[in-house]
């Protein structure tokens, strides 16, 4: 299957911003707003050994290859040990959606203690896509643990939080309230007992799709995709969407987001992290374009652009 319809940066190579600095946006997601792409992710360029993350970075671009550094739009804090964003805490997988009703940009992220027992989801708000974001606090969604997560905004503005819960054994999909500041209490349990994480959700022709990884920490494993007629399920698993050499290890990456290319319906970019656990700041980005075939299948393949 030819996927040569978009040019992206070379997967796995160092990706530099417009100033020539290594891009720090791990576990990230992309928001398209006002004709500009905003890429948010974990800034792991930390100099203090005990620090997990410097905060959430934002980069912007009009073509997905040239990225301007918009700075750390939600920094970790150094002066309050009880703060969720204290510099030794875990701040992972930030995702931003725009609330058309309130005009707010909403950042939702995994907040945890260094031992991953706190297991919460944090919320921050901004009036502009490139921040600054005001952190308002964290919750355990519907009283349940929340670790790896993502958010999905449907065409009608209804949004959902998707997170690994119950000791990571089962995922939940929970409805966000209309102001994206809390949950409605409606949720479903999916992939029960299957230990899935790193969710990335997308929609095509009225169906919802989700790519997840297995649960092996920073080590890569086989991805799985699933389909549903409603975000609240039932979800049906479809196997590994990756094909070719190293497909069983997701090309040594882990999913983080699927970007829908709005001007090309049916075309998407699979965004994944190639983690380097001993040097997380040098973890690499692997973005692979894919398209739905006429019979509703996808194949994610390694692709180079030279
Ligand atoms: C998995 C998760 C990451 C991070 C690491 C920590 O890879 O997907 O976001 O939490 O585990 O081990």
């Amino acid at each position: 299957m030819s996927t040569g319809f978009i040019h992206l940066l070379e997967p796995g190579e160092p990706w530099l911003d417009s100033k020539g600095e290594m891009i720090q946006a791990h576990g990230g997601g992309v928001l398209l707003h006002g004709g500009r792409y905003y890429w948010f992710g974990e800034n792991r360029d930390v100099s203090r050994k005990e620090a997990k993350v410097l905060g959430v970075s934002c980069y912007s671009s009009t073509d997905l290859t040239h990225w301007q550094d918009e700075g750390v739009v939600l920094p970790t804090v150094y002066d309050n040990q009880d703060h969720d964003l204290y510099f030794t805490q875990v701040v992972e997988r930030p995702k931003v959606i725009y609330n058309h009703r309130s005009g707010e940009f909403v950042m939702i992220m995994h907040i945890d203690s260094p031992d991953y027992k706190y297991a919460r989801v944090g919320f921050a708000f901004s009036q502009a896509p490139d921040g600054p974001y005001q952190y308002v606090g964290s919750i355990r969604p519907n009283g349940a643990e929340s670790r790896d997560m993502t958010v999905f905004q449907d065409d009608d503005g209804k949004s959902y939080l998707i997170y690994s819960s119950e000791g990571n054994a089962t995922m939940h999909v929970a409805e966000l309230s209309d102001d994206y500041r809390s949950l409605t209490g409606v949720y479903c349990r999916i992939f029960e007992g299957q230990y899935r994480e790193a969710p990335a959700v997308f929609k095509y022709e009225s169906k919802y799709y989700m790519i997840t990884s297995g649960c092996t920490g920073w080590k890569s494993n086989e991805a799985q995709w699933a389909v549903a007629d409603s975000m609240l399920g039932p979800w049906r698993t479809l196997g590994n969407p990756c094909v070719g050499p190293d497909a069983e290890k997701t090309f040594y990456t882990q999913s983080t987001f699927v970007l829908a290319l709005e001007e090309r319906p049916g075309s998407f970019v699979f965004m994944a992290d190639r983690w380097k656990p001993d040097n997380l700041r040098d973890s690499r980005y692997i973005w692979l374009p894919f398209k739905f075939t006429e019979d509703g299948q996808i194949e994610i393949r390694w692709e180079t652009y030279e």
Side-chain angles (χ1 to χ4, degrees), residues 21 36 50 70 126 129 133 171 214 240 245 251 258 262 268:
E21 304 288 334
R36 244 185 132 71
E50 65 276 44
E70 303 292 351
S126 173
Y133 284 79
M171 287 194 127
N240 185 357
F251 317 110
V258 171
E262 290 202 352
F268 299 85

Side-chain angles (χ1 to χ4, degrees), residues 22 26 273-277 279-285:
M22 290 271 284
H26 311 285
D273 297 286
R274 179 172 284 171
W275 298 116
K276 291 194 185 177
N279 187 13
L280 282 166
R281 63 155 63 101
D282 193 33
S283 301
R284 301 292 169 82
Y285 312 103

Side-chain angles (χ1 to χ4, degrees), residues 42 92-93 110 116 148 197-198 213 217-219 254 275:
E42 302 153 20
E92 289 180 345
R93 298 188 173 270
H110 175 192
Y116 286 90
D148 271 19
E197 61 180 10
S213 76
W218 302 115
K219 289 202 188 99
Q254 186 178 31
W275 298 116

Side-chain angles (χ1 to χ4, degrees), residues 168-171 190-197 212-215 224 226 235 237:
N168 290 345
T170 296
M171 287 194 127
I190 66 170
F191 312 143
E192 251 174 85
Q194 292 181 35
Y195 288 90
R196 305 304 301 176
E197 61 180 10
T212 58
S213 76
C215 209
Q224 172 183 275
W235 285 86
T237 56

Side-chain angles (χ1 to χ4, degrees), residues 119 141 143-150 161-174 187-199 210 212-215 224 232 235 237:
E145 287 178 350
S146 175
R147 293 195 180 82
D148 271 19
M149 46 62 67
T150 193
L161 176 66
I162 301 98
Y163 49 99
S164 304
S165 196
E166 305 180 30
N168 290 345
T170 296
M171 287 194 127
H172 292 186
V173 179
Y187 75 99
C188 67
R189 300 171 67 242
I190 66 170
F191 312 143
E192 251 174 85
Q194 292 181 35
Y195 288 90
R196 305 304 301 176
E197 61 180 10
M210 191 186 308
T212 58
S213 76
C215 209
Q224 172 183 275
L232 293 170
W235 285 86
T237 56

